Amino acid sequence: MSRLDRSLISGLPPFEGLDAADLDAVLQSARSLRVEKDAAIFGQDGEAHSFFVLLDGKVRVVKSTVDGQQIIVRYIVPGELLGIAQALARSTYPASAIAVVDCVLLSWPGKLWSEFAAAFPTFGTTTYRTVGARLSDMQTQVMELATEQVERRVAHALLRLAHQSGRKTDKGILIDFPLSRQDIAEMTGTTLHTVSRLLTAWEEKGLVGSGRMQVCITDPHGLLLLADGRTGRA
Amino acid sequence: MSRLDRSLISGLPPFEGLDAADLDAVLQSARSLRVEKDAAIFGQDGEAHSFFVLLDGKVRVVKSTVDGQQIIVRYIVPGELLGIAQALARSTYPASAIAVVDCVLLSWPGKLWSEFAAAFPTFGTTTYRTVGARLSDMQTQVMELATEQVERRVAHALLRLAHQSGRKTDKGILIDFPLSRQDIAEMTGTTLHTVSRLLTAWEEKGLVGSGRMQVCITDPHGLLLLADGRTGRA
């Protein structure tokens, strides 16, 4: 039987303000799991048996079309909920969740979501806020796809990743997980070729540095000007 | 003092299964309002003071970029909730709601949302389902914008409107509210010029008929084949 310590979740937004007894009750029904890099945590259209909190690692949420194309919907960082189909009154997962690096998660049976939301107002509010933020992100993506040139979309996507998962280095803000050019293409509705062309042009301008599976924003202000359309095109 | 009859809401999904006393309690805190064609019900970034149920009419939800471009996020039909910022733990409306035709609505103070959700499980579940459906719609829009040619996106948008608000006529399925070519452009991330070019080509092929502010799908199966990419381009 697993013995999980309160400290695993006491600092996380969904469980903020819960006292020791509540935290123990929440943990008693939790299962901890480790998911290896590139493995699926859950699959699109699969039965939503569980919801999760990411404790460590990074998760990519991807959605596939019937004809096999794929987009990256978002990235999940530690402390965030995922798989909360119950908060959307869904019985299946709307997308797949893939471990970008080795991940540690806690999971709970899906049916406990409504119990937790009723018993712990913070938990309910946090899931509503999570859903609200994701809806807002999707609206932003729709806006960008509908109204922005591809160069600005790619710049916005990189800035968002830097904001979410950036680490300051002496070269600039490093996006702190493996990120391929194909990943960037699937986040921004464009092709690998276009992303490569843009990153090469931006490197020449000193805006970014990029290696295999790695992007560092060397001139965040310059990239922001470009994202907001306040400068000429590459 | 308004006197609202139970029959106004007893058949609507958010209030299904409520008994007469519950319906009366819900109506006691409701305000009924009429909003004229083209007027705003609420505005993007405005304080989310109320949530609403649309009783009659049609509402367009629009979002504007900082540089003044506009997209149509969705259309709301009678029986649907709108302005449920509380279910997203937001204090402002993420988009504007505009009456497409004269509308009748009921509104409630925003703070009642959590009371209703706690007291009436159906109400809570319906709002989660509404949010879930909207998140799913946004993901579909992102997928289409990211992966589909404009012709297929426009075809999908018209088929969705026909599904939501179509009326069978002897000429085909009429989209049953005023819909301009500019509206279609703002739903699909393209230009008025492109929409006009597509509709003209589709009329020649017998797929649609369109007048000013009106679209009728004369060959739904043909338009579906085109939307799914199973036919040549116009």
Side-chain angles (χ1 to χ4, degrees), chain B residues 8-230:
Chain B
L8 282 173
I9 61 165
S10 61
L12 303 183
F15 305 110
E16 232 161 61
L18 270 63
D19 65 22
D22 288 342
L23 289 171
D24 286 346
V26 162
L27 283 172
Q28 201 157 22
S29 49
R31 192 169 70 89
S32 62
L33 64 158
R34 185 181 183 83
V35 178
E36 283 190 9
K37 182 177 186 306
D38 297 329
I41 297 153
F42 53 79
Q44 182 173 334
D45 300 326
E47 192 213 333
H49 47 77
S50 306
F51 62 89
F52 303 82
V53 164
L54 181 63
L55 293 181
D56 191 50
K58 168 82 60 172
V59 172
R60 184 170 62 225
V61 178
V62 298
K63 209 167 156 79
S64 302
T65 61
V66 281
D67 51 349
Q69 292 193 73
Q70 181 173 294
I71 62 160
I72 297 179
V73 177
R74 79 180 64 86
Y75 285 90
I76 305 271
V77 297
E80 273 191 85
L81 291 158
L82 64 158
I84 43 173
Q86 288 76 24
L88 309 173
R90 285 183 63 104
S91 58
T92 58
Y93 296 115
S96 300
I98 313 290
V100 178
V101 294
D102 290 355
C103 287
V104 179
L105 303 103
L106 293 179
S107 80
W108 289 267
K111 64 177 192 299
L112 288 186
W113 180 79
S114 54
E115 279 184 36
F116 284 9
F120 314 120
T122 315
F123 179 83
T125 309
T126 304
T127 56
Y128 304 146
R129 186 170 294 129
T130 300
V131 169
R134 288 177 190 173
L135 190 58
S136 178
D137 286 351
M138 297 309 289
Q139 289 186 344
T140 303
Q141 275 197 56
V142 168
M143 295 293 284
E144 290 182 5
L145 283 163
T147 67
E148 287 182 5
Q149 297 298 325
V150 62
E151 179 173 46
R152 290 179 55 188
R153 297 205 305 265
V154 173
H156 271 138
L158 293 182
L159 287 167
R160 265 198 297 273
L161 290 177
H163 181 74
Q164 187 196 42
S165 304
R167 184 161 56 81
K168 271 197 181 155
T169 67
D170 51 4
K171 293 205 175 123
I173 303 172
L174 178 71
I175 295 171
D176 202 13
F177 62 90
L179 181 71
S180 71
R181 293 176 170 199
Q182 180 63 31
D183 291 336
I184 298 170
E186 290 178 5
M187 292 180 71
T188 54
T190 186
T191 61
L192 175 58
H193 175 78
T194 299
V195 171
S196 292
R197 182 177 58 74
L198 286 173
L199 288 186
T200 302
W202 292 349
E203 279 183 56
E204 281 165 13
K205 288 184 167 183
L207 295 169
V208 303
S210 73
R212 218 184 73 80
M213 306 298 280
Q214 190 165 299
V215 177
C216 182
I217 300 177
T218 46
D219 178 2
H221 183 68
L223 195 62
L224 183 62
L225 288 178
L226 192 148
D228 288 350
R230 288 183 283 161

Side-chain angles (χ1 to χ4, degrees), chain A residues 103-186:
Chain A
C103 288
V104 179
L105 303 103
L106 293 178
S107 80
W108 290 266
K111 63 180 194 298
L112 287 186
W113 179 80
S114 55
E115 277 183 37
F116 283 8
F120 314 120
T122 314
F123 179 83
T125 309
T126 304
T127 55
Y128 305 146
R129 186 170 296 129
T130 300
V131 169
R134 289 177 188 173
L135 190 59
S136 178
D137 286 351
M138 296 308 290
Q139 288 185 346
T140 302
Q141 276 197 54
V142 168
M143 296 292 284
E144 290 182 5
L145 283 163
T147 67
E148 286 182 5
Q149 297 298 323
V150 62
E151 179 172 46
R152 291 180 55 190
R153 297 205 305 265
V154 173
H156 271 138
L158 292 182
L159 288 167
R160 265 197 298 274
L161 290 178
H163 182 72
Q164 189 196 40
S165 303
R167 184 162 56 84
K168 271 197 182 154
T169 68
D170 51 3
K171 293 203 175 127
I173 304 172
L174 177 71
I175 295 171
D176 202 11
F177 62 91
L179 181 71
S180 71
R181 294 176 171 199
Q182 180 62 32
D183 291 336
I184 299 170
E186 290 178 4

